[in-house]
Each structure stands twice: as structure tokens, then as C-alpha cells.
Amino acid sequence: MPASSSGSLIDGRALAQDVKDDVQSAIEDWTTQGHRPPYLSAVLVGDNPASAAYVRGKERDCAEVGIETNTHSLDASVSEAALLDTIRDLNQDDGVDGILVQLPLPGHIDEQKVIDTIAPHKDVDGFHPANLGRLLRGNPAFIPATPFGILEMLRRSAINPDGMDAVIIGRSNIVGKPLAALLMQRTANATVTVCHSHTEALADHTRRADLLVAALGQAEYIGADMVQDGAVVIDVGINRVDDPSKDRGYRLVGDVDFDAVRKKAAHITPVPGGVGLMTRAMLLKNTLTAARRNAE
Ligand code: NDP
């Protein structure tokens, strides 16, 4: 790939708005055809301020595009059995299209059990094993919003991963693993390497990446020396670093040293204003899909 003096920005804000506009107009068509609006139920356990803020953000996004929501706020001390009952009730409720359980959950609750209890056809986060299995098999139903958002960003930016060496740093169930599965499919055709904390000589891998995805959760860890000239760099990380000049005392940065890496990359996503906004938009798309399935 050719070297570039300063990579072009993949503008997550604009792309996410495009996705939201598409979802909104699809919902308008849907309701014009006589269907009720899509309906998302969120389940929030405890009073973790970050989780509460995420759920409020999702409610606002839904309202913007015409998705109705309600949030079941449960006390941090709720028993696992009571939480599972809440989910089973939502599974049974024909008026609910999508169910979202905000993670993380308090330590006494088994997250996997909770995810496994959500009906797969309402699992808009795409974390249920049935949905992850379908994704791996190549006929996805619900794709987890972050990897889905990354693919959509590439598509809408006319970046075709076909034949690229894609290197993903991070192997979590919500980002790295599903993204690897998507990028290696015949629809994307990248050659995928997944790195993690036991990877030796990480930079040897990252330096040959045509497409580098950083999802390790380490502030500005990926420096320019780790990136090939002309690479496409997708920064998933969201990290807080102390910054007394900000009212809130911190600022958000990604896993990539943006200013340095931008000089080498052909395309790069910023943080904030990148993958995070696309992630939020793709949840809306998944909820619309759930409503369509529910109506069938
Ligand atoms: P996890 O903590 O679950 O996974 C991090 C992964 O990175 C692990 O596989 C870990 O390896 C690997 N890793 C950590 N340090 C290193 C290192 N020094 N070298 C190589 N690999 C390393 O994180 P998530 O996947 O949940 O999230 C990753 C980041 O993305 C976080 O900053 C998170 O906040 C952000 N995020 C952003 C989203 C968005 O919408 N933009 C959505 C979800 C997450 P190992 O498996 O060996 O421990």
C-alpha cells in the first residue's frame, strides 16, 4: 500500500448518523405498513453510573429513530433467579422485540447464565451462543454491535478487506472473536491474525497489518512504530486518562496513539467519534431486525 502523509479520518459520527437515518426511515416505512414501532427492553442491575449512562444513551438513540423502550431497573442485590425470571417474562412478551441486559452484572450473578436465558431471536446484542454459533457458521442472525459497526464503517468508507492482512489485538467474546469470524468469512475475505496478551513480538504482527484493529483496552498503546505505512487503523479502545484541564478530570482516548499513527495510516478512526458511535447505531439496526423477525 502507498505511504500517506496523514491518514483520512473515518468519521464515526457522520457514518453513525447515516445508519441512524437509514434505520429511522425503515421504521417509518414499517409503521406506515401498519406495524407497531420496534420495542427494546433494557435490564439494568445496580447503580453503576457508567452502566446507567450507557442505558440512558441507548434509550435516547432509540427515541431518535422511533424505537420504543423501557428499562427494568433492578436493585444490585437482586437474586440471579429473580433476574432470570425477569428475562423469561420478557422472552414471553410478544410486545417486546429486543432484550438488552447491560453488562457488567454484580459479582453474585453468572453473566453467561443470564445471556443464555435471553431468547436468541430477541438477543439484539448477539451474545447468545446460538447467535455466536450462527455467526461462526457464516449465516449470522444478530451480530454483536461493535464488530458489526466496524464492518459497516469499512463498507460505508469503501474499504474492502478482501485479501488484506487483518490483525486484531484482543480476543474478547464481544469484540475480537466475533470480528475475526466476520473478517475471515467469504463476505470479507481478509486473512486474520488475532493477538492477545500472550502474543510474542506483537509489533511484528501489527507492522504487517493492512487492517489493524486495536481492542486491547490500553490507552494509546499502539504507536506509529507498530503500524505499517498506508494501513487502515480501527481503534476500538475507550480509556480514561487523567486530565485536570477537563471539568470532569479526565479525557477519553483510544488504544492507538492517534496523532502519531495518523501520519502513517491511510485511514484511521478517532476516539471519541469513532467505533463507539457506530456500536450504538448498530444496536438500533439489530432492534429493527428483531422487530421484523418477531412480526413474521
Ligand atoms: P477485554 O478486556 O475483554 O479484552 C482485552 C483483550 O486485549 C484481551 O484479549 C487481552 O488479552 C488483550 N490484551 C490486553 N492487553 C494486551 C497487550 N498489552 N497486548 C496484547 N493484547 C492485550 O476488552 P474488550 O474486548 O471488552 O474491550 C477492549 C477495549 O475496547 C476496551 O478499551 C473497551 O472499553 C473498548 N470497547 C469499546 C467498545 C466501543 O463501542 N467502542 C465496545 C466494547 C469495548 P488476554 O485475552 O490474553 O487477556
Side-chain angles (χ1 to χ4, degrees), residues 54 145-147 169-176 194-199 202 214-219 221-222 235-239 253-255 271 274-280:
Y54 280 131
T146 302
I169 315 171
R171 56 176 164 183
S172 72
N173 288 332
I174 62 170
V175 186
V194 180
C195 302
H196 45 75
S197 68
H198 291 243
T199 298
L202 181 67
L216 61 159
Q218 307 277 344
Y221 190 91
I222 306 300
D235 192 353
V236 182
I238 301 177
N239 311 286
V253 299
D255 290 345
V271 178
V275 174
L277 295 172
M278 280 306 274
T279 297
R280 284 169 57 172

Side-chain angles (χ1 to χ4, degrees), residues 263-293:
K263 296 191 181 94
K264 284 184 101 175
H267 304 272
I268 185 166
T269 63
V271 178
V275 174
L277 295 172
M278 280 306 274
T279 297
R280 284 169 57 172
M282 300 321 276
L283 173 70
L284 307 175
K285 206 170 157 76
N286 277 347
T287 305
L288 171 60
T289 302
R292 287 187 167 135
R293 297 244 163 89

Side-chain angles (χ1 to χ4, degrees), residues 22-103:
D22 289 353
V23 172
Q24 182 173 14
S25 75
I27 290 174
E28 280 163 11
D29 290 348
W30 178 248
T31 50
T32 306
Q33 289 161 26
H35 298 282
R36 61 164 176 74
Y39 195 101
L40 177 69
S41 270
V43 180
L44 175 64
V45 182
D47 48 15
N48 176 334
S51 292
Y54 280 131
V55 170
R56 276 197 305 276
K58 289 170 187 175
E59 286 171 338
R60 271 199 306 274
D61 292 342
C62 284
E64 243 181 81
V65 300
I67 295 173
E68 295 184 351
T69 56
N70 79 339
T71 298
H72 296 259
S73 294
L74 306 176
D75 197 83
S77 64
V78 68
S79 68
E80 185 180 280
L83 173 58
L84 296 183
D85 280 344
T86 302
I87 293 169
R88 288 190 192 103
D89 288 345
L90 295 172
N91 287 343
Q92 296 297 323
D93 186 341
D94 285 340
V96 171
D97 298 310
I99 302 170
L100 175 157
V101 178
Q102 185 62 44
L103 303 177

Side-chain angles (χ1 to χ4, degrees), residues 64 67 85 122 152 179 204:
E64 243 181 81
I67 295 173
D85 280 344
K122 296 192 178 189
E152 191 69 13
L179 182 63
D204 289 351

